[in-house]
């Protein structure tokens, strides 16, 4: 055999570089379901089922094209349980001249891959992942010599590079680069998501569901009902549905939160994009076409494209540029243990319970729930950054370290010391009250600062800022925060800080 070509669970794209110039007569593709990858953090059962089913469908698609696939199922008796073991076993069995890989999405896996040439005694080539729209080198050139690495500047470069939403060189469509201010409408009464599409389960999916039920039902999260797309065709149906039915309202309600509505107008496409069933450029181009056809307004289309061409690429750039040192950061020295309610949903705080319920049931919660509810609470309470990151990596079906870590450590927890966020995404109950209908269903009151019914986010917000005063008092993007605090009478300041301690105590006791 000439070349052994590895495809990982998040590399399910026909255009993946490890398949470039494949020789259908002589080469073999290797794919393996392994226990180590499913349990190095205990992934949500829906994520495992989605990936195993998508992998099996992808392998079937390659075989239909005449490509030989060596597919190792989780339950195969000789399965060694790890990528490392499976590569060694396949090389011993198939005797390839070389091993071809595409760089993975996690530093941990890249470190493993870098050992293989020596361990296997054959040439190993690690190719760039060209599905992303900015290479590591481009990001490094952009970052060089800059005191601040702000997403908005990176994003406008990307818009220019790909000519997306550009009227002329240097002229963004509509006159603005960014319509963020038009992405913050509070929910109107009765706001609900249109019905989502579902996919008929194939025999492959049913087999995988039985396997996951059998082997991973002790992981956090419910497996059924299972509605995920598992092939590129199905993922494309999801994309079409989003563009035609949901994109027009995506911009207005991007930051809104509604009880019982996990999705609203969000696309639910991240799992498919991150696994490779969809490609970022096709998603941006389709959204752009909807704008030019008059089917969706600029605040929606620009908002969506900004998330993919801007945030997603920028986040990946940050991860690879600063790893492995990035993963050790804890700028605010946050070390309090993650409370049990992140697993049980058992908290009186309606907003937090709701976000965790959505997470448990769908392996999904939308961005503002991740950032301003579970993330904001973790920030204000000073929860241990590693424990919080592990939680996010375990519970979401779109989670891989390259995208989870900078979002959690950098954006939500300010644990990278302000590399990503120019100020902490810290908010009191007032923000959550404005952007959701949660507070009406809660036993706490967002307008109360101290006492039994006080919303925990209120005192914890001030306590967080004062606790970290050294970091934030001179932050130019927070001009009024400390002047407001300074105007509080000393007795009020003391009462707030004592109230925060009561909340933290209750959190530790499991009664918050
Ligand atoms: P939409 O709201 O419809 O957005 C469209 C697309 O934009 C998404 O599909 C996604 O691919 C991309 N996108 C949006 N925001 C971001 C972002 N900040 N970073 C990268 N891509 C973005 N996203 C992940 O893909 N995996 C993660 O593990 C992950 N962890 C997160 C952890 C925290 C604490 C926070 C605050 C955000 C995290 N995000 C993560 C980003 C974002 O929340 C999800 O991409 C989004 O909720 C996915 O849902 P959607 O497809 O409906 O997104
Ligand atoms: C997340 C995951 C899971 C659950 N299972 C597998 C697997 O069985 N085989 C595999 O190749 N990859 C799996 N993955 C993804 C990897 O853990 C890892 O996050 C990515 O491949 C990094 O690019
Ligand atoms: Fe959340 Fe506070 Fe509102 Fe309750 S009152 S839902 S804890 S913001």
């Amino acid at each position: 055999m000439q070349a052994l070509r590895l495809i990982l669970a998040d590399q399910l794209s026909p255009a993946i570089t490890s398949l470039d110039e494949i020789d259908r007569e002589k080469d073999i593709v290797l794919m393996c379901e392994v226990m180590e990858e499913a349990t190095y953090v205990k992934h949500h059962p829906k994520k495992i089922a989605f990936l195993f089913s998508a992998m099996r469908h992808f392998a079937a698609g390659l075989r239909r094209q005449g490509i030989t696939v060596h597919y190792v199922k989780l339950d195969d008796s000789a399965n060694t349980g790890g990528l490392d073991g499976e590569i060694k076993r396949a090389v011993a069995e198939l005797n390839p001249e070389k091993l071809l890989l595409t760089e993975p999405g996690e530093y941990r896996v890249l470190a493993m891959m870098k050992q293989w040439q020596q361990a296997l005694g054959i040439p190993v080539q690690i190719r760039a992942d060209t599905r992303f729209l900015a290479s590591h080198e481009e990001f490094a050139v952009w970052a060089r010599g800059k005191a601040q690495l702000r997403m908005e500047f990176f994003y406008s470069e990307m818009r220019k590079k790909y000519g997306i939403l550009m009227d002329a060189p240097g002229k963004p469509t509509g006159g603005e680069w960014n319509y963020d201010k038009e992405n913050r409408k509070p929910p109107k009464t009765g706001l609900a998501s249109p019905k989502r599409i579902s996919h008929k389960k194939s025999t492959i999916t049913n087999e995988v569901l039985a396997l996951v039920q059998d082997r991973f039902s002790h992981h956090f999260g419910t497996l059924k009902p299972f509605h995920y797309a598992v092939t590129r065709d199905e993922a494309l149906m999801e994309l079409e549905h989003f563009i035609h039915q949901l994109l027009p309202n995506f911009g207005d309600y991007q930051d809104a939160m509604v009880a019982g509505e996990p999705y609203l107008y969000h696309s639910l496409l991240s799992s498919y994009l991150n696994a490779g069933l969809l490609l970022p450029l096709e998603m941006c181009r389709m959204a752009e076409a909807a704008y030019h056809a008059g089917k969706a307004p600029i605040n929606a289309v620009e908002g969506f494209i900004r998330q993919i061409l801007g945030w997603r690429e920028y986040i990946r750039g940050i991860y690879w540029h600063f790893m492995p040192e990035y993963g050790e950061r804890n700028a605010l020295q946050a070390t309090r243990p993650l409370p049990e309610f992140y697993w049980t949903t058992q908290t009186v705080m309606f907003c937090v319970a709701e976000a965790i319920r959505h997470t448990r049931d769908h392996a999904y919660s939308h961005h503002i729930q991740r950032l301003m509810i579970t993330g904001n609470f973790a920030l204000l309470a000073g929860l241990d950054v590693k424990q919080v990151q592990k939680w996010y990596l375990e519970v979401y079906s779109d989670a891989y370290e390259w995208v989870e870590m900078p979002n959690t450590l950098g954006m939500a927890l300010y644990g990278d010391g302000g590399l990503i966020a120019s100020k902490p995404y810290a908010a009191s109950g007032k923000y959550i009250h404005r952007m959701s209908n949660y507070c009406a269903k809660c036993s706490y009151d967002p307008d109360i600062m101290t006492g039994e019914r006080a919303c925990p986010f209120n005192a914890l917000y001030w306590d967080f800022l004062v606790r970290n005063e050294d970091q934030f008092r001179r932050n130019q993007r927070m001009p009024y925060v400390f002047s407001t605090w300074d105007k509080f009478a000393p007795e009020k300041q003391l009462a707030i800080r004592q109230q925060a301690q009561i909340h933290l105590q209750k959190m530790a006791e499991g009664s918050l």
Side-chain angles (χ1 to χ4, degrees), residues 242 250 254 263 265-271 273-274 283 304 306-308 311-313 315 364-368 370-372 375 392-393 396 398-400 402-405 407-409 411-412:
F242 170 72
F250 173 84
Q254 218 173 314
Y263 310 137
Y265 292 94
H266 291 273
S267 70
L268 314 190
L269 295 173
S270 51
S271 302
L273 178 57
N274 294 350
M283 291 168 68
F304 181 68
R306 186 186 339 121
Q307 306 312 318
I308 294 170
W311 277 112
R312 186 171 183 270
E313 295 292 329
I315 285 286
Y364 177 87
S365 71
H366 67 69
H367 184 68
I368 295 303
R370 296 188 204 193
L371 184 62
M372 300 311 293
Y392 277 94
L393 194 56
Y396 291 113
D398 56 19
Y400 303 88
W402 70 265
V403 56
E404 173 278 322
M405 182 187 281
N407 269 300
T408 307
L409 181 66
M411 195 187 300

Side-chain angles (χ1 to χ4, degrees), residues 311-369:
W311 277 112
R312 186 171 183 270
E313 295 292 329
Y314 165 83
I315 285 286
R316 176 179 184 256
I318 293 282
Y319 178 79
W320 287 108
H321 198 66
F322 291 99
M323 277 301 276
E325 170 271 327
Y326 191 79
E328 298 308 315
R329 293 191 189 192
N330 187 1
L332 302 182
Q333 284 142 27
T335 54
R336 211 168 254 117
L338 189 80
E340 236 348 74
F341 60 69
Y342 274 79
W343 303 112
T344 62
T345 77
Q346 297 305 307
T347 164
V348 183
M349 295 179 286
F350 183 88
C351 54
V352 175
E354 182 74 349
I356 300 171
R357 278 192 293 266
H358 292 169
T359 304
R360 177 197 61 197
D361 295 344
H362 308 290
Y364 177 87
S365 71
H366 67 69
H367 184 68
I368 295 303
Q369 292 178 300

Side-chain angles (χ1 to χ4, degrees), residues 7-10 32-34 37-38 40 43 47-48 51-52 55 83 104-106 108-109 400:
I7 303 268
L8 297 169
D10 55 346
C32 23
E33 297 168 7
V34 286
E37 293 306 311
Y40 78 95
H43 293 290
K47 177 184 188 179
I48 302 175
L51 286 179
F52 285 5
M55 285 170 78
L83 288 176
E106 302 198 345
R108 168 188 69 85
V109 181
Y400 303 88

Side-chain angles (χ1 to χ4, degrees), residues 67 82 99 119 159 167 217 223 231 234 246-248 286 312 336 366 467 492 503:
I67 294 170
L99 177 60
R159 288 268 295 276
D167 284 346
S217 53
L223 176 61
T231 64
E234 288 175 352
L246 300 145
L247 179 62
M286 216 185 268
R312 186 171 183 270
R336 211 168 254 117
H366 67 69
R467 222 168 54 225
K492 182 171 175 178
H503 292 319

